Amino acid sequence: MGWILFKRAVRDLKSGFARYIALALLIVFSLFIVISLMGAADTIIDSTVISDRELNCEDGEFSVFVPLRNEEIKKITERGVSVEQMFYVDYSLNGDQVLRAFKVRENINKISLINGTLPANDSEAVIERRYSEVNGISIGDKVSIGNKDFTVTGIGAAPDYNTVIKKITDTVVDSRYFGLIFVTPEAYDELYSSGCSIASEEYYYAYVLNGAMSESELKAILDDNTFDVEDVDDEYFKEYWDRMTERKDELLEGIDELKEGASDLADGADDLNDGITEFHEGMKDLHDAVPDLTDGVEELDDGAAALETGIKEYTSAVDKIESGASDLSDGASALAAGTSELNTGADLYGTGVNELAGTVEVMSQNEVPYIAEVAGGFLDPAKALATGFAQIQTGIAGVNTGATSMSNGAYQLYQGIKTLNSNSGALKRGAAGLHAGTTALKEGVADLSDGIDKLYDGSIEISDGSDELAKGARELADGVKDFSDEANDLIDEVFNIDLSNLRVFINKADNPRIDSAADDVQINYSASIIFGILLVVLFAYVISVFIVHTIDQESAVIGALYSMGVKRRTLTLSYVAVPVIVTFISGVIGTLIAIFTPAGIPAQMADSLGYFSMPKMDIIVKPFVLIYGLVIPPVTAFIVNVLVVRNRLVRTPLSLLRNEQKAVRGKELKIKGLKFIPMFRLRQIMREIRAGLTVIFGLFMSLLVALLAINTSVYCTNVKNSYIDLTKYEYMYNYKYPTEEVPEGGYEAVAEGFKKEIYGYTFDVTVLGITKENPFFDVGELPDNDSDVVISSAVANKYNLSTGDIFTLSDDKGERLYAFRVVGICDYTASMFVFMDIDRCRDLFNEDDDYFNVVFSDHALDVDGGRLYSTVSKEEIARSSGIYVEMMGPMVTTMSVASAVIFLVVMYLMVKMMIDRSAFNISLVKVFGFRNREVRKMYLDGNFYIVAIGALISIPLCKMIMDYIYPRYLVSNVGVGVTADFPPEVYAAIFAVVIVLYLAINLVLTGRIRKIKPAEVLKNRE
Amino acid sequence: MYIETRDLKKSYGEGGSFVQVLKGVSIKIDKGEMCVIQGTSGSGKSTLLNCIGGLDDIDSGNVSVAGTLVECLKGEKLSDYRRANLGFIFQFYNLVPNLTVRENIQVCEYLTKDPLNMDELIEVLGLTEHQYKFPSQLSGGQQQRCAIARALVKNPKVLLCDEPTGALDSKTSRDILILLEKINRQYGTTMLIVTHNNSIKNMVDHVIYLKDGEIYKDYINEKKVPASELEDL
Ligand SMILES: Nc1ncnc2c1ncn2[C@@H]1O[C@H](COP(=O)(O)OP(=O)(O)OP(=O)(O)O)[C@@H](O)[C@H]1O
Ligand SMILES: [Mg+2]
């Protein structure tokens, strides 16, 4: 077969040994780094999985106010969930260091010993690996915390403290100042009872679900646990508790009163309703009685009419009687007169009789008329006559008297009747008046009846209304009762921290302390895969440029071979052989170095081991890494070169034989006014556009690497500088149990912790309510409402927020969302703060008017440690922010150098090849008499423009790519809101370095041009 | 006829740069014939050779070689045709610079199932002592012999030579011609030799003279002279 052509390839390789070695070294180096990173990542990720399994790493953890009671633990464990106490206490040592003491773990989060043994007695301890390394503590050393000395018997790591950070929100590990110590349970208790801890004991538990229940189920069970306040012995807690419960009681009382009031109101409304009902019933009776009344009045009226008529009849009768009486009186008068006359007559007659009788008297006694009878015989009759007459006379006199009396009487009767008659007018008038009165009464009664009708209707309405009122009042009362129930629940909920024993609940995935190394290297892994391929593509492409150069030189030969029937495939393969061989061998070497030397995978792992606290690990090389290292380079080179070479070989044998310059680019290029040399230079650029583009591609790749380094450097420096510059306070005290009064010299604030997610990681964002007087934050005027906020630039940077944006924060439990609008961004990158006015903040979170839980100050305050969650000092911030710079330093240097080397090699090889390609032409123009300087201008200086333009395009492009990648993939797991924005000088500096590197190469290659002799042209032809 | 062109027309370029190079060339060459094509520079000799060799397309007419219609072949088929039938020799030898003489010959050895014996061929061509040298270490004649060996190793039916002696002195030229003659005799290879050299026509069977793309003369040489006796080379 065409194997013989591969001999050609091998010889080609030999003749271009220097350049292939240079490229091979770059590929070896690239693959060495890539495979090391991938291998280290694999090892760390896999080992983490294995050790998590072996050490029984928790599924999550929770902390409580009061240790769980046995029955509470049983509730969980009897369903199959494992739980173990992870109580800890922090102790200070050597002044500024903190050791967190744990009991030796039994089942969950077991300690992986790197050296030594677990503590066998109360004076022995295991120290966490990173702390021991950084502080040079080894087995047998003594560590003194509290009032106890411990002998270190082991160095170990715990899976729940893969990242050994004090607070879960800490962004950087500082093992110089913080570590873990594991002691026996007895020693732990003894130590704590000595009372020399810096903070109160934290009651953490780790759990492993064992598939027995879901996380939310477990959380629900734990949420239900309440605790007895009496069980807590933290005095600060108690004081705080009392204050809180007081407030709660007040609230509850208020609600009770409200409830009672409503209930009273309902009762009153009921009574009112009853009264109104009664009234209405009376009204109804009244209404019913009105017709009777009308009837009565009518009868009365009738009676009065009858009376009037009667009276009228009576008076007319009286009238008649009067006239009768008058007639009677007249008659009686007449009678009296008659009788009087009779009397007189009688008198006269009597006298006569008397005289007779006198005579007779003479005869008889005269005086007694009637006794005149007595005299005699005649006397007697005379006398009797006289006497009789006397008697008659007397009778007549009596009649007269009687008549007179009668007349008088008749008169009087008449008079009386007359009076009566005159009185009867009054009677008549009275009767008429009475009648009129009754008539009026009758009308009045009718009106009354109407009125009562209306009243009655009204009363019905009132009654209905009152019914509704009563119902409403009842409902109100019920509502108030419901409200009070709800309010009670709500209050219970608001005061939940106090009622529910559960304080913190965090699962493994959300816990930044667990599996963080594995998380951290994941990006190395993906980035390596991509960068590796990109670099191999670059180098393969560089090789392809050489191959193309060779093909161009040998085109007639190729044409000759074609013409005799050698196939393109055979030739293509023979040309592609060189890059495939070079990349394959380099890949093998790079991979072997990565796997088998300490500078490879172990060195990369050391990066992680130097930061994370991990158990011992054996290097794991997975097939994919091997395949990557051994297969990717040749395959990539094969693909790249086949694509390039095939294109070259696709020409006809004839055109190859004639060595036709495939439509020499730039030939038709003629720009008026351009002098010969610039014109020539332009054509040369066009002719060598492939090499030019390769230079740009190489420049681009090396700038990508360079900018990764510079971005990292700038990012870390920004963290360091801005943290220090922008942190104006010296101390920030985070209260667990705030005092009532703000400590003297401090500025109070309200801080509420929230979570916010970005690029797959969740960080804590603190809503900070500050007072107007607070001198440490330059936030300007804070809005007077609870939805507009000023955010720190850390938040703005991390979450890509700008003024006017609306964003949400979710509370710790992820149950509630708060939306805010950004009205300002304050230049503060050290913490992710969302600033509000302190009062608005208190309102928003339903806190008292004088509530606070954070105090800032510019000097140390006298605050009891037991009240605090933590203290943040500026010094600490400065210290931890500096760690980034320290940590990233070597990586930045390595990458900067690597990028410069990539650029130099690619640039050198390409330009050198351009010169080689033009060697014939160069010697020709020298023969024509051009001087070296002019030749350099014609053939070399064009590259300056390529490099300059390439850099002008690549630098911003690479920066944009980096700015995209950086926050999303490289620092997405870091809770730091700093940007890697460059000042313009940095861009200028990068550009300057590129140009300087170019000039250096130019200098070297100018020498090469000088060496090309005019005679070359003569011997150059075969 | 072994090689035959009928009314072969070929032009290059368009518009102002249009040239009608072959204006209807018809030739017939028998199997085993040695044929010389002569003509002034630019008369279309190389073009004719290339058309026969399938290196160039034709505008119209036919080209048939060993019963194959060349103008109908494309791509792989064309390549297979050349592989099966042709050997090329050029004025500039076009050897692979970083393969030795022997290796250069080996490149074409694999193209056929029964190649000629390598060592014999090298021996015949007098390259034995040079077989491990690289082309750059050889003289022009030696290089051309190597190129001939390369063309012959697969035992082609037709050998197309475009000015095989163009770059050589007369002694070396003669050596090459003697070689070609020998091969023609030994293997019965049909040969088409384009040349400016006027005396070469005396050693061949058939002479074609081109002028401005047309056949000017086409005759069979009755009095063949062996190459060793050619004059004025
Ligand atoms: N690819 C091409 N494009 C344009 N014109 C061409 C091309 N190849 C050949 N010619 C023209 O065709 C004509 C014939 O060329 P050819 O090479 O066949 O001549 P020749 O007889 O071999 O001449 P010489 O003896 O100088 O080699 C020439 O005028 C040449 O300019
Ligand atoms: Mg010619």
Side-chain angles (χ1 to χ4, degrees):
Chain A
M1 277 294 287
W3 266 115
I4 202 73
L5 281 170
F6 292 99
K7 265 195 181 158
R8 187 207 63 79
V10 173
R11 295 211 178 103
D12 204 17
L13 198 58
K14 268 191 211 148
S15 64
F17 194 68
R19 69 163 85 116
Y20 287 125
I21 275 291
L23 279 170
L25 284 178
L26 281 184
I27 299 171
V28 166
F29 182 72
S30 306
L31 269 138
F32 156 68
I33 296 286
V34 162
I35 297 294
S36 300
L37 282 169
M38 284 171 75
D42 264 346
T43 303
I44 287 165
I45 292 168
D46 282 17
S47 303
T48 303
V49 173
I50 293 167
S51 73
D52 277 1
R53 194 169 52 230
E54 278 172 359
L55 303 172
N56 198 19
C57 178
E58 64 180 43
D59 285 341
E61 61 190 44
F62 57 89
S63 82
V64 291
F65 273 96
V66 175
L68 293 182
R69 282 173 241 131
N70 283 333
E71 63 269 23
E72 287 170 337
I73 292 181
K74 239 179 89 186
K75 247 195 305 190
I76 309 165
T77 51
E78 71 189 1
R79 293 206 29 202
V81 174
S82 321
V83 175
E84 185 174 339
Q85 286 188 0
M86 297 283 144
F87 293 6
Y88 66 73
V89 185
D90 286 351
Y91 296 93
S92 79
L93 79 166
N94 306 332
D96 51 2
Q97 300 184 340
V98 173
L99 269 187
R100 179 161 291 175
F102 284 94
K103 295 173 193 168
V104 170
R105 282 82 182 276
E106 282 171 8
N107 292 310
I108 303 179
N109 296 335
K110 286 184 283 190
I111 302 163
S112 160
L113 282 174
I114 284 132
N115 272 320
T117 58
L118 291 176
N121 61 52
D122 298 352
S123 60
E124 293 183 349
V126 166
I127 295 276
E128 178 268 314
R129 202 195 105 228
R130 287 291 304 138
Y131 180 83
S132 80
E133 282 172 5
V134 173
N135 291 290
I137 295 171
S138 41
I139 291 177
D141 287 358
K142 286 231 175 332
V143 169
S144 160
I145 53 174
N147 53 359
K148 249 175 100 65
D149 279 353
F150 289 95
T151 309
V152 176
T153 58
I155 307 290
D160 57 331
Y161 274 84
N162 190 238
T163 310
V164 190
I165 43 178
K166 209 193 290 179
K167 284 176 287 145
I168 226 156
T169 51
D170 284 351
T171 50
V172 69
V173 173
D174 194 352
S175 291
R176 164 85 181 78
Y177 294 97
F178 181 70
L180 311 177
I181 182 167
F182 299 93
V183 299
T184 60
E186 296 74 24
Y188 177 90
D189 291 337
E190 191 193 328
L191 197 61
Y192 187 52
S193 61
S194 72
C196 30
S197 62
I198 3 182
S200 52
E201 185 175 20
E202 289 286 345
Y203 307 121
Y204 271 83
Y205 291 84
Y207 64 82
V208 177
L209 291 171
N210 300 323
M213 62 173 80
S214 72
E215 184 189 301
S216 45
E217 234 175 307
L218 174 65
K219 194 175 167 212
I221 293 173
L222 292 169
D223 256 332
D224 283 346
N225 289 338
T226 53
F227 66 97
D228 194 347
V229 186
E230 302 308 314
D231 290 351
V232 187
D233 26 50
D234 187 321
E235 59 178 303
Y236 298 113
F237 169 77
K238 277 188 177 157
E239 182 218 292
Y240 181 72
W241 169 261
D242 287 345
R243 273 208 341 261
M244 294 311 280
T245 43
E246 214 170 277
R247 277 186 53 208
K248 185 187 166 186
D249 288 349
E250 274 167 25
L251 262 172
L252 286 175
E253 256 167 48
I255 285 171
D256 273 353
E257 272 168 31
L258 181 65
K259 198 166 91 180
E260 271 163 31
S263 162
D264 287 354
L265 178 67
D267 290 352
D270 273 353
D271 288 353
L272 178 66
N273 192 23
D274 290 352
I276 283 174
T277 306
E278 273 169 33
F279 166 74
H280 179 65
E281 269 160 26
M283 194 63 224
K284 204 171 152 204
D285 289 351
L286 181 63
H287 179 73
D288 292 350
V290 165
D292 289 353
L293 176 67
T294 320
D295 291 355
V297 167
E298 256 163 24
E299 271 169 33
L300 180 65
D301 188 44
D302 288 354
L307 180 66
E308 193 188 24
T309 321
I311 282 173
K312 264 190 191 144
E313 275 168 22
Y314 160 76
T315 50
S316 64
V318 167
D319 226 17
K320 280 179 193 149
I321 289 171
E322 188 197 321
S323 58
S326 174
D327 288 353
L328 181 64
S329 171
D330 286 352
S333 262
L335 183 64
T339 57
S340 199
E341 279 172 22
L342 179 59
N343 198 18
T344 320
D347 261 354
L348 287 162
Y349 177 74
T351 319
V353 162
N354 262 345
E355 278 173 3
L356 178 51
T359 333
V360 166
E361 198 111 47
V362 182
M363 299 167 37
S364 110
Q365 295 149 300
N366 170 330
E367 254 345 319
V368 184
Y370 274 98
I371 304 163
E373 59 162 343
V374 182
F378 202 37
L379 189 29
D380 278 326
K383 225 185 181 191
L385 185 56
T387 322
F389 187 72
Q391 270 181 309
I392 288 172
Q393 205 186 15
T394 321
I396 285 170
V399 171
N400 188 24
T401 328
T404 307
S405 298
M406 194 175 87
S407 173
N408 284 342
Y411 185 71
Q412 269 170 354
L413 178 67
Y414 168 71
Q415 284 301 330
I417 281 172
K418 222 173 135 186
T419 313
L420 184 64
N421 198 11
S422 69
N423 281 346
S424 79
L427 181 64
K428 226 164 82 183
R429 274 198 303 279
L434 176 67
H435 188 205
T438 57
T439 305
L441 180 63
K442 207 171 93 183
E443 279 164 15
V445 165
D447 287 350
L448 175 69
S449 166
D450 285 354
I452 284 175
D453 266 357
K454 281 184 193 157
L455 185 62
Y456 178 70
D457 289 350
S459 162
I460 288 176
E461 275 166 29
I462 289 176
S463 161
D464 289 354
S466 138
D467 234 21
E468 271 161 33
L469 173 71
K471 246 186 255 161
R474 186 54 57 204
E475 275 165 23
L476 174 69
D478 289 351
V480 167
K481 195 163 165 291
D482 287 351
F483 161 73
S484 122
D485 291 351
E486 289 272 320
N488 280 334
D489 288 353
L490 185 69
I491 288 168
D492 283 352
E493 219 169 278
V494 167
F495 289 83
N496 202 15
I497 39 156
D498 310 308
L499 292 171
S500 166
N501 197 9
L502 187 61
R503 256 183 55 194
V504 173
F505 186 95
I506 183 164
N507 67 20
K508 183 179 178 182
D510 290 342
N511 192 333
R513 287 189 184 120
I514 302 179
D515 291 357
S516 24
D519 257 10
D520 190 60
V521 292
Q522 184 61 52
I523 178 64
N524 293 3
Y525 195 82
S526 344
S528 300
I529 290 179
I530 294 166
F531 252 89
I533 290 179
L534 280 178
L535 285 172
V536 173
V537 166
L538 169 68
F539 301 134
Y541 194 75
V542 169
I543 299 177
S544 84
V545 175
F546 295 132
I547 303 299
V548 165
H549 174 45
T550 313
I551 288 175
D552 287 351
Q553 273 182 338
E554 296 179 354
S555 84
V557 180
I558 295 165
L561 293 176
Y562 267 178
S563 64
M564 279 185 281
V566 173
K567 299 221 166 130
R568 193 164 75 218
R569 224 162 61 90
T570 315
L571 276 168
T572 307
L573 289 177
S574 89
Y575 281 108
V576 161
V578 170
V580 169
I581 291 167
V582 171
T583 51
F584 175 70
I585 293 173
S586 317
V588 170
I589 296 171
T591 305
L592 291 180
I593 298 176
I595 294 175
F596 292 109
T597 67
I601 295 175
Q604 292 300 338
M605 273 169 56
D607 267 5
S608 289
L609 288 166
Y611 187 76
F612 299 103
S613 185
M614 282 182 293
K616 253 191 267 185
M617 279 181 272
D618 295 325
I619 290 174
I620 298 170
V621 179
K622 286 180 132 181
F624 179 75
V625 172
L626 276 181
I627 291 170
Y628 189 95
L630 304 183
V631 175
I632 289 286
V635 167
T636 310
F638 180 80
I639 294 170
V640 169
N641 281 278
V642 163
L643 288 177
V644 172
V645 166
R646 231 181 37 166
N647 198 31
R648 283 265 142 172
L649 295 181
V650 91
R651 295 157 63 190
T652 65
L654 204 55
S655 93
L656 285 162
L657 273 169
R658 292 203 183 120
N659 204 357
E660 275 171 351
Q661 292 283 36
K662 207 179 184 183
V664 174
R665 278 168 274 226
K667 210 165 203 174
E668 53 304 329
L669 201 92
K670 264 196 185 108
I671 298 167
K672 273 193 195 121
L674 210 56
K675 286 207 199 90
F676 172 73
I677 285 186
M679 178 68 101
F680 188 94
R681 188 190 289 150
L682 202 57
R683 284 204 193 151
Q684 172 68 11
I685 290 175
M686 298 308 288
R687 205 171 295 142
E688 297 295 348
I689 197 75
R690 180 185 295 271
L693 289 177
T694 311
V695 166
I696 293 181
F697 181 31
L699 181 62
F700 177 81
M701 286 302 296
S702 62
L703 278 172
L704 215 52
V705 175
L707 277 169
L708 181 62
I710 298 169
N711 248 27
T712 305
S713 165
V714 169
Y715 188 84
C716 295
T717 323
N718 277 356
V719 168
K720 184 175 181 175
N721 294 346
S722 66
Y723 271 32
I724 298 169
D725 290 352
L726 296 171
T727 303
K728 301 263 171 29
Y729 59 84
E730 286 295 331
Y731 293 93
M732 171 181 174
Y733 298 97
N734 294 298
Y735 280 80
K736 194 174 188 177
Y737 309 124
T739 46
E740 228 159 339
E741 298 290 318
V742 181
E744 187 69 30
Y747 294 87
E748 76 273 28
V750 173
E752 288 285 331
F754 288 91
K755 304 260 177 229
K756 188 162 176 60
E757 189 266 358
I758 182 133
Y759 305 137
Y761 289 89
T762 302
F763 302 99
D764 286 50
V765 173
T766 304
V767 171
L768 193 68
I770 54 172
T771 53
K772 284 190 179 57
E773 294 75 36
N774 195 311
F776 306 120
F777 303 104
D778 186 20
V779 293
E781 190 72 21
L782 285 168
D784 196 25
N785 64 57
D786 55 15
S787 60
D788 289 353
V789 293
V790 171
I791 59 177
S792 72
S793 48
V795 178
N797 293 337
K798 187 79 200 174
Y799 296 100
N800 305 320
L801 293 173
S802 42
T803 305
D805 286 353
I806 288 171
F807 66 100
T808 56
L809 298 175
S810 67
D811 66 0
D812 269 344
K813 291 181 175 168
E815 287 162 358
R816 211 177 291 189
L817 272 182
Y818 290 81
F820 297 101
R821 189 176 55 183
V822 181
V823 296
I825 294 169
C826 117
D827 187 18
Y828 184 74
T829 45
S831 305
M832 296 211 263
F833 282 147
V834 170
F835 295 101
M836 289 179 80
D837 178 74
I838 192 164
D839 289 322
R840 299 287 73 75
C841 191
R842 285 165 178 153
D843 288 353
L844 184 61
F845 303 118
N846 296 315
E847 300 290 0
D848 274 355
D849 287 349
D850 49 6
Y851 175 80
F852 67 91
N853 58 2
V854 168
V855 169
F856 294 97
S857 82
D858 54 7
H859 59 274
L861 299 178
D862 182 23
V863 180
D864 291 316
R867 287 192 179 280
L868 299 175
Y869 275 122
S870 62
T871 310
V872 179
S873 71
K874 184 172 179 176
E875 191 194 327
E876 240 173 83
I877 289 176
R879 207 168 62 202
S880 64
S881 59
I883 286 183
Y884 283 109
V885 179
E886 245 172 70
M887 228 163 56
M888 293 298 171
M891 176 254 195
V892 168
T893 318
T894 313
M895 284 198 302
S896 306
V897 171
S899 103
V901 170
I902 292 173
F903 174 63
L904 283 174
V905 170
V906 172
M907 178 82 201
Y908 176 82
L909 290 177
M910 287 299 102
V911 177
K912 183 167 157 294
M913 193 212 61
M914 287 184 211
I915 294 172
D916 288 352
R917 272 161 76 91
S918 302
F920 179 74
N921 292 340
I922 291 174
S923 63
L924 206 60
V925 294
K926 281 190 177 175
V927 171
F928 294 158
F930 282 93
R931 286 186 217 103
N932 274 327
R933 225 172 60 84
E934 286 161 333
V935 173
R936 203 197 67 208
K937 269 191 186 162
M938 283 153 66
Y939 284 93
L940 269 188
D941 288 2
N943 295 326
F944 176 82
Y945 297 101
I946 289 184
V947 170
I949 291 169
L952 284 179
I953 295 167
S954 296
I955 292 172
L957 188 64
C958 288
K959 175 64 180 157
M960 267 159 61
I961 292 172
M962 268 307 138
D963 281 351
Y964 182 85
I965 291 174
Y966 215 75
R968 280 170 183 77
Y969 303 105
L970 298 178
V971 291
S972 57
N973 59 343
V974 183
V976 169
V978 169
T979 58
D981 290 341
F982 298 170
E985 306 92 82
V986 176
Y987 290 104
I990 297 171
F991 186 75
V993 168
V994 169
I995 296 300
V996 164
L997 290 178
Y998 164 78
L999 290 176
I1001 285 173
N1002 199 36
L1003 202 68
V1004 173
L1005 290 174
T1006 307
R1008 201 176 167 81
I1009 283 197
R1010 199 170 292 135
K1011 272 195 225 133
I1012 295 178
K1013 301 210 170 64
E1016 203 105 352
V1017 71
L1018 301 174
K1019 65 171 188 188
N1020 209 289
R1021 221 55 193 154
E1022 289 123 298
Chain B
M1 277 309 107
Y2 201 65
I3 299 174
E4 180 170 1
T5 70
R6 241 180 287 155
D7 198 22
L8 174 58
K9 287 183 182 161
K10 171 75 188 172
S11 62
Y12 287 112
E14 267 166 41
S17 61
F18 178 87
V19 249
Q20 184 70 43
V21 180
L22 298 179
K23 302 171 179 167
V25 174
S26 301
I27 56 167
K28 290 177 179 177
I29 295 159
D30 281 332
K31 188 170 163 59
E33 244 181 24
M34 267 180 110
C35 175
V36 151
I37 303 174
Q38 275 194 302
T40 50
S41 183
S43 56
K45 305 181 295 289
S46 297
T47 306
L48 177 60
L49 205 64
N50 290 339
C51 289
I52 292 168
L55 297 182
D56 223 341
D57 317 322
I58 63 174
D59 295 349
S60 64
N62 297 115
V63 178
S64 91
V65 174
T68 314
L69 275 179
V70 178
E71 77 270 12
C72 300
L73 300 173
K74 279 208 164 56
E76 283 291 284
K77 287 262 167 58
L78 197 57
S79 196
D80 288 340
Y81 153 74
R82 289 200 298 262
R83 182 186 280 230
N85 299 298
L86 303 184
F88 273 96
I89 297 168
F90 306 95
Q91 179 177 5
F92 302 107
Y93 331 106
N94 291 334
L95 296 173
V96 181
N98 52 8
L99 288 182
T100 60
V101 167
R102 197 184 168 82
E103 286 162 353
N104 261 292
I105 301 167
Q106 276 174 338
V107 168
C108 286
E109 188 189 7
Y110 84 96
L111 293 175
T112 179
K113 271 188 213 106
D114 58 332
L116 300 182
N117 184 297
M118 267 286 276
D119 293 313
E120 205 182 298
L121 190 65
I122 289 172
E123 181 67 47
V124 168
L125 288 165
L127 288 169
T128 314
E129 59 180 310
H130 306 296
Q131 62 177 315
Y132 298 113
K133 287 186 180 164
F134 287 99
S136 57
Q137 295 165 320
L138 298 178
S139 73
Q142 287 158 347
Q143 287 190 53
Q144 190 63 303
R145 274 187 270 156
C146 177
I148 294 171
R150 182 175 68 177
L152 286 177
V153 69
K154 60 176 188 168
N155 196 9
K157 294 174 184 119
V158 178
L159 189 62
L160 302 173
C161 314
D162 197 346
E163 305 199 27
T165 60
L168 302 172
D169 63 56
S170 65
K171 164 146 191 347
T172 321
S173 296
R174 187 185 303 278
D175 290 347
I176 296 294
L177 291 171
I178 290 169
L179 202 61
L180 290 177
E181 197 173 49
K182 196 164 145 195
I183 285 157
N184 174 255
R185 233 181 291 127
Q186 197 163 335
Y187 301 109
T189 314
T190 312
M191 292 185 185
L192 242 68
I193 304 164
V194 169
T195 180
H196 274 122
N197 194 306
N198 222 1
S199 34
I200 295 178
K201 65 173 190 274
N202 296 322
M203 62 169 278
V204 299
D205 309 303
H206 191 160
V207 178
I208 295 167
Y209 202 97
L210 276 184
K211 196 175 178 186
D212 286 341
E214 284 173 7
I215 305 282
Y216 179 65
K217 281 184 206 160
D218 183 347
Y219 63 93
I220 302 297
N221 181 18
E222 303 295 345
K223 317 169 270 184
K224 252 174 54 170
V225 182
S228 53
E229 293 167 25
L230 286 178
E231 286 163 31
D232 302 329
L233 261 175

